[in-house]
Amino acid sequence: MKYALQKLPNGQTQMVDASGNPLSGADADRPILHILPKLWVPAEILGRPNKRFDDGLMCEEIILTVTSSLPIDVMPEGGIEIRQPYPNRRYFVGGSKLIRNGWIVPIPADVTEFDIEFQWHIESAAMWRVYPKDDWEVRHLIHIKLHPGKGITYSMDGSCWPEREGPAMRITPVSVLGFEEEDQIDRERRQIIKDCDLIYTDGELQGELAGYFLEEQVDITGIPLEHAWSIDAFQEEQLHEVRQTAILTHDIEAHRANGPVEMPAELFLRAIDHAEKVAFGKKSKFAKTIAGVPGGMEQHPAMKLLCDWWESVRHEGEPFKPGMAMPLVRVRDDGDYWWGDREVPNSPVNGFNPSGRDAARIGDQILVLFQAKQENAVFDNDGMTVFLPSGEQFSTIGIDKEQFLNGESDEAWACLNALASFRVRFPLAWEFLNKSGGEYRMAERAKVAQPVALPEGFKPCQNCGGMPVITEDPTGKFGSRYLLTCGDHVSIGDDTLEGIRQDWEFDFDAMEDMLEGTPNDGGGQ
């Protein structure tokens, strides 16, 4: 009997048998094992998501082989796929074509003990960040013992294990590279039998370090299939798994209709800067100033900057003042918004905001959704209902009024967190913002800039032969006070004319050296 994960038209998933019949809340008709290979790697081995020419470890650079003492084939149909399906990118997880978090196989009813081994092979330049070699082997041998329980589904995910009498709760058997103390081997909660280096035993590399070996005992209690929640968990892509793009050709008009008002990129960049620099964690100075204040996070400089701007441009006569602002980003040309709040699933661009109210756009990539101050929320048995400034109901959060009044729950925190993590989570949108913001600053600077006479002795441009132009920003609001330009090929900024001269003469002399040099001038004798 085979089991699979079926995706329903509404986007939800359900377990089905080989005939396509849903298992619903029932258990499987024979014992099944949820195999869950997880590899934890050091942070320094990871590259930055969506950064070109970054040599961080990639899923395609990992090969996983699984063997066992069971009298059945434990490999998933279609082969193993390595993914990073968790918010924490340090986990690489083996899965199947349909299930991202491991896979399931039926096992003989009379089996109570068996071995399973995960053999991870890594070949990546990223390994040099932790050890001077490209390839690394990890062998993880696990002795599994099955215990009777309320069902006959056995998951290797420790979060699915019921509490049993004995020592402290055990945790998932995670494979590690063996390089650092933070390799997540909690010896008090795992039954480690042996761990040691792997050494080449023959060939040219005989005696050299090949990798790491880990052996442990794992006890698993049977549970009903419906309690094995993690089998169909993490089915949606994480943002770091997505190849982000700034080239968008679809749903442009739909996006613009969602936010007819355009927000200056420079304004949003300043809000991000506030969120990054003014800490808002529980122990922060700002958090202490609003302790016990309902909706106090709305007073953060980042929220006030955005909401004050929206107050000045929105439709007149709307019932509620804005108190929070949440960014949504188009990270690829597939008709979806990714929310700045990583807990919220993607939303379709088309028809997202039919009224055109409560939201502003930044170019064709970013939408900023404003929410009303939380003081306007209403409470009932379902929780706290939050509104948009236009009066439209937005969402209901499962908290009671007391949690809001004492400051324990504050929806503006998620908005601040979205801003503070924006440059890391949305690198291409961040590049777009800085380009647009820079163009905005230059345009605003041009409105107030005043020409400055060139200091005596300035040399002409070696590239075009013309003389550069220097302007001064008397307001000091738009970057460097002085700006030297020469056509569209030279731009030098500094707060002093002497600094401008030094940079210009350095560039001038460097260009002269390049023009006078020959291919044989490389500095040798």
Side-chain angles (χ1 to χ4, degrees), residues 229-426:
W229 68 272
S230 66
I231 293 177
D232 60 353
F234 307 106
Q235 286 298 107
E236 298 298 327
E237 284 181 302
Q238 298 291 330
L239 186 57
H240 57 253
E241 297 181 278
V242 174
R243 179 69 65 182
Q244 298 188 28
T245 182
I247 302 174
L248 302 169
T249 59
H250 298 91
D251 303 299
I252 300 297
E253 294 306 317
H255 170 72
R256 293 175 180 175
N258 290 332
V261 178
E262 185 147 19
M263 175 186 290
E266 171 68 12
L267 179 78
F268 192 68
L269 283 170
R270 286 166 54 199
I272 290 175
D273 186 63
H274 288 330
E276 291 177 338
K277 292 180 178 178
V278 182
F280 51 90
K282 290 184 178 180
K283 297 182 179 180
S284 66
K285 183 177 179 181
F286 169 74
K288 291 177 181 178
T289 65
I290 59 165
V293 177
M297 288 287 170
E298 295 174 357
Q299 299 178 25
H300 190 281
M303 288 296 98
K304 287 186 62 63
L305 176 68
L306 294 177
C307 292
D308 286 350
W309 173 82
W310 185 245
E311 181 72 18
S312 70
V313 300
R314 67 173 178 154
H315 291 85
E316 294 184 0
E318 293 186 338
F320 302 134
K321 288 185 174 295
M324 303 170 281
M326 173 65 72
L328 296 87
V329 182
R330 302 184 64 195
V331 303
R332 57 187 178 189
D333 203 12
D334 62 352
D336 272 357
Y337 286 123
W338 287 72
W339 287 72
D341 182 356
R342 66 184 72 216
E343 299 297 324
V344 181
N346 296 356
S347 297
V349 173
N350 194 19
F352 175 77
N353 185 33
S355 71
R357 298 189 169 213
D358 305 305
R361 63 182 168 87
I362 307 173
D364 292 329
Q365 284 186 274
I366 302 168
L367 193 74
V368 181
L369 180 66
F370 291 89
Q371 301 169 44
K373 284 182 172 292
Q374 294 169 86
E375 64 187 25
N376 301 299
V378 296
F379 295 84
D380 56 24
N381 292 335
D382 293 327
M384 172 183 176
T385 298
V386 179
F387 294 88
L388 301 176
S390 64
E392 181 181 343
Q393 181 175 320
F394 175 56
S395 65
T396 299
I397 307 105
I399 64 169
D400 57 38
K401 192 171 185 177
E402 182 61 28
Q403 289 174 290
F404 167 68
L405 291 177
N406 62 22
E408 179 182 341
S409 178
D410 193 324
E411 287 298 290
W413 184 91
C415 297
L416 288 170
N417 192 53
L419 293 177
S421 61
F422 192 94
R423 75 164 75 201
V424 174
R425 297 191 67 224
F426 304 104

Side-chain angles (χ1 to χ4, degrees), residues 454-521:
L454 290 173
E456 186 176 348
F458 245 65
K459 299 177 181 179
C461 177
Q462 183 68 32
N463 188 33
C464 68
M467 297 301 293
V469 174
I470 298 178
T471 57
E472 179 185 8
D473 167 20
T475 69
K477 294 180 179 180
F478 305 104
S480 302
R481 185 176 185 86
Y482 296 99
L483 179 66
L484 176 148
T485 58
C486 187
D488 59 1
H489 51 274
V490 179
S491 179
I492 300 173
D494 201 279
D495 288 329
T496 66
L497 287 173
E498 181 59 28
I500 291 284
R501 177 198 287 274
Q502 290 177 2
D503 285 347
W504 173 256
E505 291 181 353
F506 173 82
D507 289 346
F508 179 87
D509 292 341
M511 284 189 288
E512 277 192 333
D513 291 342
M514 289 174 62
L515 292 171
E516 293 174 359
T518 67
N520 296 323
D521 283 347

Side-chain angles (χ1 to χ4, degrees), residues 7-84:
K7 191 163 187 177
L8 301 175
N10 63 5
Q12 297 181 339
T13 58
Q14 66 179 4
M15 296 298 301
V16 296
D17 61 22
S19 301
N21 299 315
L23 296 178
S24 302
D27 203 0
D29 62 353
R30 62 181 292 186
I32 62 173
L33 175 68
H34 175 208
I35 298 175
L36 184 57
K38 298 167 66 170
L39 177 68
W40 168 275
V41 304
E44 56 266 36
I45 209 173
L46 298 174
R48 292 170 293 175
N50 292 283
K51 282 294 183 180
R52 295 184 292 273
F53 313 116
D54 195 315
D55 61 350
L57 180 62
M58 297 184 292
C59 292
E60 51 265 35
E61 296 174 318
I62 302 175
I63 297 175
L64 170 64
T65 303
V66 180
T67 58
S68 86
S69 62
L70 287 166
I72 60 169
D73 181 9
V74 297
M75 295 289 282
E77 187 174 349
I80 297 173
E81 293 201 7
I82 305 297
R83 302 180 179 93
Q84 292 172 283

